[in-house]
Amino acid sequence: MGANLSGGVSDMGGYAQPRLGDIPESCVALVLMYMDPPEICKLARLNRAFRGASWADFIWKSKLPTNYRFIVDKVFDEKSMVKNSRMRDIYTTLCKSISFDDGTKQIWLDKNKGGINLSISSKALSITGIDDRRYWNFIAIDESRKPARASIVYLCPSLRALPLFDMFQTVAYLQQTWWFEVNGEFDFQFPLGKYSLFFRLHLGRSSKRLGRRVCNSEHVHGWNIKPVKFELTTSNGHQAVSEYYLDNPGKWVNYHVGDFVVDNPHALIKIKYSMTQIDCTHTKGGVCVDSVLIRPSSVGKEH
């Protein structure tokens, strides 16, 4: 009986038994469309029918943001093979961290839900006094591309399960200033949804000594006297203001500035963001500015 079943033939009159591999690829593809990408990739290993169905363009187009063409045109040049690839290849490529605008920005999709994440380097920000080496310097940081979770502050426990994102290898380091002001703006077409914006900062200058990560807090001062003011405005009418005292030396902290909502995925939205501490009664210093992070707010808030 077992041998006959494995061969696809029954003992009952010699009729062929239906097998999983006999399901038409078109039917399998319709089922796969309702699954998350990791589940689709796992089922693709079952047999040839599932593997073939998992490449259906309509499946992966449904997982991509509705404005994925804008993203592809923004990130890749005209000669890129990605533009003529199948939908699954486009999705797979966008799930990796991709640099654009001369390496000052990164974009990636969440591989489970396809949400858009953006990271904007300190080199793409306008920093008052950045050209005066007595105050500011761009420094290379001795960190892995994806830092250890122990070196990041997560004030929301649910965030510990989230994938880490790539860091830029150069950050803006402030030794000391009276006037702390960092501004930036960015135009982009975002998919429908609600997004959160963060400034990613680190008190102290980190390095490695004898293979271990250490933090030099020599220049850290002034952040406990007055809070830093963070602001966000968008061209579609959203505004947010937050204030924080900078703390947690030796840890990367994502300071939540505010949220904005996108209700038209084909409209270009201008986002302006800033952080300031311009009380000139005291100096402040010893902070690293890595980036501005924008991501779907369904991931939660970190501060």
Side-chain angles (χ1 to χ4, degrees), residues 28 32 35 37-55 60 88:
V28 174
L32 295 181
M35 297 182 176
E39 296 174 327
I40 295 172
C41 293
K42 287 180 181 178
L43 289 174
R45 302 170 187 168
L46 284 176
N47 55 43
R48 184 177 299 177
F50 275 74
R51 185 165 57 252
S54 70
W55 280 92
W60 296 99
R88 177 170 168 171

Side-chain angles (χ1 to χ4, degrees), residues 70-71 74-75 98 100 104-109 115-121 165-166 168 186-191 195-198 260 271 291-296:
F70 168 84
I71 298 171
K74 182 85 172 175
V75 173
I98 304 167
F100 65 106
T104 62
K105 300 178 181 69
Q106 295 174 353
I107 187 171
W108 67 100
L109 301 185
I116 284 288
N117 298 271
L118 283 160
S119 187
I120 302 165
S121 165
F165 55 91
D166 286 352
F168 293 97
F186 184 52
D187 295 339
F188 203 76
Q189 284 184 13
F190 290 88
Y195 296 83
S196 294
L197 186 141
F198 304 84
F260 62 94
I271 306 171
S291 59
V292 169
L293 173 65
I294 303 173
R295 67 188 190 191

Side-chain angles (χ1 to χ4, degrees), residues 12-299:
M12 304 298 292
Y15 293 106
Q17 290 277 359
R19 295 173 298 179
L20 197 59
D22 294 330
I23 304 175
E25 283 188 13
S26 58
C27 294
V28 174
L30 289 172
V31 174
L32 295 181
M33 187 174 67
Y34 294 97
M35 297 182 176
D36 289 337
E39 296 174 327
I40 295 172
C41 293
K42 287 180 181 178
L43 289 174
R45 302 170 187 168
L46 284 176
N47 55 43
R48 184 177 299 177
F50 275 74
R51 185 165 57 252
S54 70
W55 280 92
D57 278 344
F58 73 85
I59 294 177
W60 296 99
K61 188 173 182 179
S62 70
K63 308 302 178 186
L64 285 164
T66 54
N67 62 342
Y68 77 93
R69 280 296 174 192
F70 168 84
I71 298 171
V72 170
D73 290 339
K74 182 85 172 175
V75 173
F76 300 102
D77 59 37
E78 292 298 327
K79 297 180 180 179
S80 173
M81 295 294 291
V82 174
K83 292 194 172 186
N84 298 315
S85 299
R86 297 188 65 174
M87 293 297 173
R88 177 170 168 171
D89 289 330
I90 293 176
Y91 188 92
T92 301
T93 301
L94 291 178
C95 282
K96 303 172 185 176
S97 182
I98 304 167
S99 296
F100 65 106
D101 281 359
D102 296 323
T104 62
K105 300 178 181 69
Q106 295 174 353
I107 187 171
W108 67 100
L109 301 185
D110 177 80
K111 66 180 180 180
N112 293 301
K113 301 297 181 182
I116 284 288
N117 298 271
L118 283 160
S119 187
I120 302 165
S121 165
S122 57
K123 286 195 171 183
L125 301 175
S126 175
I127 302 175
T128 300
I130 191 64
D131 295 325
D132 193 330
R133 294 297 175 258
R134 293 175 299 173
Y135 307 117
W136 286 92
N137 285 283
F138 282 112
I139 62 171
I141 54 172
D142 191 11
E143 300 267 6
S144 63
R145 289 293 286 167
K146 287 185 172 61
R149 291 189 184 277
S151 67
I152 304 176
V153 172
Y154 290 97
L155 299 187
C156 177
S158 64
L159 289 172
R160 294 189 181 278
L162 293 173
L164 294 172
F165 55 91
D166 286 352
M167 289 179 60
F168 293 97
Q169 294 298 282
T170 301
V171 300
Y173 178 69
L174 170 66
Q175 293 192 110
Q176 178 175 291
T177 189
W178 294 89
W179 187 284
F180 177 71
E181 183 176 17
V182 179
N183 298 282
E185 60 180 57
F186 184 52
D187 295 339
F188 203 76
Q189 284 184 13
F190 290 88
L192 294 173
K194 186 177 181 181
Y195 296 83
S196 294
L197 186 141
F198 304 84
F199 270 91
R200 181 175 173 79
L201 310 177
H202 182 284
L203 285 185
R205 184 168 178 169
S206 65
S207 61
K208 284 189 176 180
R209 184 177 301 164
L210 300 176
R212 299 183 62 183
R213 184 178 182 274
V214 295
C215 177
N216 184 345
S217 301
E218 175 187 0
H219 299 123
V220 177
H221 70 283
W223 304 110
N224 60 339
I225 300 174
K226 292 288 182 68
V228 176
K229 184 179 182 180
F230 297 84
E231 294 185 84
L232 162 69
T233 60
T234 68
S235 58
N236 64 342
H238 294 279
Q239 297 182 356
V241 179
S242 302
E243 290 189 346
Y244 302 106
Y245 288 93
L246 304 191
D247 52 14
N248 291 292
K251 305 282 187 179
W252 286 103
V253 182
N254 292 350
Y255 289 91
H256 179 238
V257 181
D259 301 331
F260 62 94
V261 176
V262 176
D263 50 19
N264 182 355
H266 302 294
L268 199 64
I269 296 179
K270 179 181 287 293
I271 306 171
K272 295 184 178 181
Y273 34 86
S274 66
M275 60 176 173
T276 55
Q277 214 292 23
I278 54 178
D279 183 344
C280 293
T281 61
H282 66 283
T283 62
K284 64 283 294 182
V287 66
C288 291
V289 180
D290 174 59
S291 59
V292 169
L293 173 65
I294 303 173
R295 67 188 190 191
S297 51
S298 56
V299 231

